[in-house]
Amino acid sequence: QYTQEYGPGNYEPMVPVTYWTFRIMVGAGLLMIAWSALGLFLMHQRRFLAATWFHRLSLAVLALPYIANTTGWIFTEIGREPWVVTGLLRIPNGVSPSVSVFEVIVTLAGFTIVYGALAVADVYLLVRFAKNGSTHQEGEPELGASLAY
């Protein structure tokens, strides 16, 4: 049907890629929900602050939103291949003739440099504040004390 309507071409998405990226995206989302539920359970049991294993593993869990976001994006883009808008606009027809390859490369490099600089600044600030340690003063309520219940 698509060949008759739009001409020759491969109109089938890469099924293994869409299959696995969807499952990784959903799995990461479910793991985030389960981890949050475990944290709430530990709080309810008044063991949250003492559960150092939970805090350490939470650092690894920080990667899950990025994994879910990236695999969701890949799932969406690969799943609609060869369409820009499924059933309406094919990719070869969606290419802008007014944007050169050089402009695309410069834009991509610019975004990479800006986001790279932001990542470096973020890591620098995180390390700096982590090395400074707690600024807790005697007599002040400790940060997170309300989570001890």
Side-chain angles (χ1 to χ4, degrees):
Q1 175 188 350
Y2 285 136
T3 304
Q4 292 174 354
E5 190 172 340
Y6 299 105
N10 181 6
Y11 295 95
E12 294 180 19
M14 292 186 279
V15 175
V17 175
T18 56
Y19 179 88
W20 286 109
T21 54
F22 176 78
R23 276 145 186 82
I24 293 169
M25 174 190 70
V26 170
L30 291 173
L31 280 173
M32 287 184 284
I33 292 169
W35 196 254
S36 300
L38 178 59
L40 288 172
F41 174 77
L42 290 172
M43 285 177 62
H44 181 71
Q45 296 293 315
R46 299 178 189 264
R47 295 186 298 170
F48 183 80
L49 293 178
T52 56
W53 61 270
F54 181 83
H55 303 147
R56 288 191 179 120
L57 285 175
S58 291
L59 292 173
V61 173
L62 286 173
L64 289 176
Y66 300 102
I67 292 169
N69 183 276
T70 301
T71 55
W73 178 77
I74 291 169
F75 166 71
T76 301
E77 296 304 322
I78 297 293
R80 70 172 154 211
E81 189 67 38
W83 305 99
V84 174
V85 179
T86 304
L88 299 176
L89 182 63
R90 292 190 59 217
I91 288 175
N93 300 334
V95 176
S96 176
S98 63
V99 179
S100 69
V101 172
F102 177 74
E103 291 171 324
V104 171
I105 291 171
V106 168
T107 303
L108 181 60
F111 278 121
T112 303
I113 290 167
V114 168
Y115 281 113
L118 289 172
V120 168
D122 183 40
V123 170
Y124 169 77
L125 290 171
L126 288 171
V127 169
R128 181 176 157 205
F129 286 112
K131 283 183 178 178
N132 284 342
S134 176
T135 58
H136 175 69
Q137 300 291 326
E138 287 296 322
E140 289 183 0
E142 190 173 335
L143 181 63
S146 62
L147 299 178
Y149 62 89

